[in-house]
């Protein structure tokens, strides 16, 4: 169970505190033992990531190799790749159905 204590670049997280509570994002940078940079590719772009305290995030046991490889090789990742990773690993929430008018 101690496998996901340390956040990794490319790891999928769920925000549990703050304005984006309940949404998913990808870790695109690790600041230190307490903080990480997250982005989702749509509302929160790669160039304007959100700095989040780890106690406000639920680290999911999923790491997107596409995102982590891209950041390791080029130092960045496209917003499309972030959206792709989230769509691939996170089941669409019921909020989207409500937004479309059911």
């Amino acid at each position: 169970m101690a496998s996901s204590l340390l956040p990794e670049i490319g790891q999928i997280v769920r925000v549990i505190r703050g304005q984006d509570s309940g949404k998913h994002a990808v870790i695109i940078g690790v600041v230190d033992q307490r903080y990480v940079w997250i982005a989702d590719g749509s509302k929160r772009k790669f160039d304007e990531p959100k700095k989040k305290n780890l106690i406000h995030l639920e680290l999911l046991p999923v790491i997107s190799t596409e995102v982590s490889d891209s950041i390791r090789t080029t130092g960045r990742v496209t917003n499309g790749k972030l959206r792709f990773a989230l769509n691939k690993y996170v089941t669409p929430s019921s909020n989207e159905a409500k937004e479309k008018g059911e």
Side-chain angles (χ1 to χ4, degrees), residues 17-47:
R17 292 273 189 296
Q19 190 174 355
D20 296 331
S21 182
K23 296 194 173 133
H24 291 82
V26 182
I27 294 176
I28 59 168
V30 178
V31 178
D32 54 28
Q33 294 172 340
R34 286 185 64 189
Y35 292 98
V36 293
W37 292 102
I38 63 169
D40 64 9
S42 51
K43 177 180 178 276
R44 184 65 63 185
K45 307 279 196 224
F46 175 82
D47 292 326

Side-chain angles (χ1 to χ4, degrees), residues 15-86:
V15 180
I16 53 177
R17 292 273 189 296
Q19 190 174 355
D20 296 331
S21 182
K23 296 194 173 133
H24 291 82
V26 182
I27 294 176
I28 59 168
V30 178
V31 178
D32 54 28
Q33 294 172 340
R34 286 185 64 189
Y35 292 98
V36 293
W37 292 102
I38 63 169
D40 64 9
S42 51
K43 177 180 178 276
R44 184 65 63 185
K45 307 279 196 224
F46 175 82
D47 292 326
E48 295 177 7
K50 174 81 174 154
K51 185 178 181 185
K52 285 295 272 186
N53 191 321
L54 284 171
I55 63 172
H56 295 163
L57 298 173
E58 176 187 348
L59 298 178
L60 302 178
V62 176
I63 295 173
S64 167
T65 52
E66 293 95 343
V67 172
S68 60
D69 291 348
S70 179
I71 290 176
R72 282 194 188 94
T73 55
T74 66
R76 56 183 296 117
V77 65
T78 64
N79 292 311
K81 220 173 250 186
L82 290 172
R83 289 190 301 271
F84 172 79
L86 288 171

